Amino acid sequence: TALTNNVFTQLAGMVVDAGLVETLRGGPFTVFAPTDTAFAKLPVDMLHAVQDADGGKLVATVLTHHVVAGTITPDQLVAGPLTTVAGTTITITKVGDSFYADGNLIGAGVEATNGYVYVMNDVLVPAIGDIVDVAVAFKDCCFSTLVELVTQAELVDTLKGEGPFTVFAPANAAFEALPADTLAAVAGSATLLAKVLTYHVVPGKITIDQLTDGQKLTTVAGVDLTVTITEETVTVGGTTSVQKVVNIDGNPILVQNVQATNGVIHVMGAVLVPA
């Protein structure tokens, strides 16, 4: 089914590379299948980091995080937790008439001979540790500057705490886009650095499905972030759906709903700067 629908070529290739073909011919299974568009949203370095980590074991975990034992058809889909083949948990929520997996919109489904496949326009990223663990795991590709600044500001223990936290985490490219003197000024002041970093952190776990247009999010810095949401129409495999485009203080989220054991990370393409 993945091969013949022509929108899951990246997924099919990764399944082959991870040696999961025969597994997914068994079942029955329910698969929340990311499209090529979903994989294209991931920074290339982040995708390569997943594929290369731990001798390929991490990519197998990520792939099987999308797979649930048994057939769940649309009329059987309900809000609540689902245990995946990876041993991780996917949380299903319902907003209006739409269902979400880990905060990501569940698209149309198609029946397979050994289960059911749902079209996902986002990759589901399982929790591989707390917020700091996740940032360090993807440090080389995405978060080396952020990890360095969080360590300098002595916020590591805070972000390894029980939380939960929502972190709007700027990728390395976001810091590189700042004027060098601006970054140096922030890094050179302990007070300013702490304020800027905690401006990216909101108490509580907030996934994309919980955000609304015009919403204000009070950060740990005590300053509000503003959420704006627009909609775009996406057509995948002949099926058209309306997707949320979420901006924080006018800056788009690059990768949403990266799970952590003590919260969730949304990867940002820009550094959020409080007034």
Side-chain angles (χ1 to χ4, degrees):
T1 299
L3 289 170
T4 57
N5 274 270
N6 298 318
V7 294
F8 301 115
T9 54
Q10 178 78 49
L11 175 63
M14 292 177 72
V15 165
V16 171
D17 291 342
L20 293 172
V21 171
E22 291 308 313
T23 299
L24 292 177
R25 290 192 185 278
F29 297 115
T30 297
V31 181
F32 298 94
T35 63
D36 294 339
T37 302
F39 282 105
K41 292 180 182 179
L42 298 178
V44 173
D45 289 348
M46 188 178 197
L47 183 58
H48 288 168
V50 171
Q51 291 173 309
D52 297 339
D54 199 17
K57 293 180 181 178
L58 181 56
V59 72
T61 298
V62 171
L63 290 173
T64 52
H65 178 65
H66 294 77
V67 183
V68 175
T71 301
I72 305 173
T73 58
D75 61 319
Q76 296 171 322
L77 200 59
V78 295
L82 293 174
T83 301
T84 70
V85 171
T88 54
T89 300
I90 293 176
T91 300
I92 304 297
T93 54
K94 186 178 184 182
V95 180
D97 294 327
S98 299
F99 283 94
Y100 294 78
D102 284 351
N104 301 289
L105 182 66
I106 298 174
V110 57
E111 190 171 3
T113 56
N114 64 337
Y116 210 88
V117 180
Y118 289 97
V119 177
M120 300 294 298
N121 281 316
D122 292 282
V123 177
L124 308 181
V125 183
I128 57 174
D130 59 40
I131 285 169
V132 174
D133 293 335
V134 174
V136 170
F138 294 113
K139 180 178 71 171
D140 292 341
C141 71
C142 305
F143 298 126
S144 58
T145 303
L146 180 62
V147 169
E148 180 182 332
L149 293 175
V150 165
T151 302
Q152 179 182 329
E154 299 183 347
L155 291 172
V156 171
D157 288 343
T158 299
L159 292 176
K160 289 183 78 69
E162 184 176 349
F165 303 107
T166 298
V167 180
F168 297 96
N172 288 336
F175 287 105
E176 291 167 4
L178 289 177
D181 55 349
T182 300
L183 184 57
V186 172
S189 167
T191 301
L192 186 56
L193 177 59
K195 182 167 186 177
V196 170
L197 290 176
T198 55
Y199 184 62
H200 293 78
V201 182
V202 175
K205 181 177 180 178
I206 305 170
T207 50
I208 292 299
D209 58 312
Q210 297 171 309
L211 297 175
T212 57
D213 188 40
Q215 185 176 0
K216 301 290 185 181
L217 302 174
T218 302
T219 66
V220 173
V223 187
D224 286 351
L225 297 170
T226 301
V227 179
T228 55
I229 296 177
T230 56
E231 293 183 340
E232 66 177 9
T233 301
V234 177
T235 301
V236 179
T239 300
T240 300
S241 62
V242 177
Q243 299 282 309
K244 276 184 177 182
V245 178
V246 181
N247 291 270
I248 306 298
D249 278 359
N251 301 291
I253 295 175
L254 296 181
V255 183
Q256 60 191 39
N257 300 322
V258 177
Q259 302 297 307
T261 55
N262 62 341
V264 66
I265 297 172
H266 304 295
V267 184
M268 302 296 300
V271 178
L272 307 179
V273 183

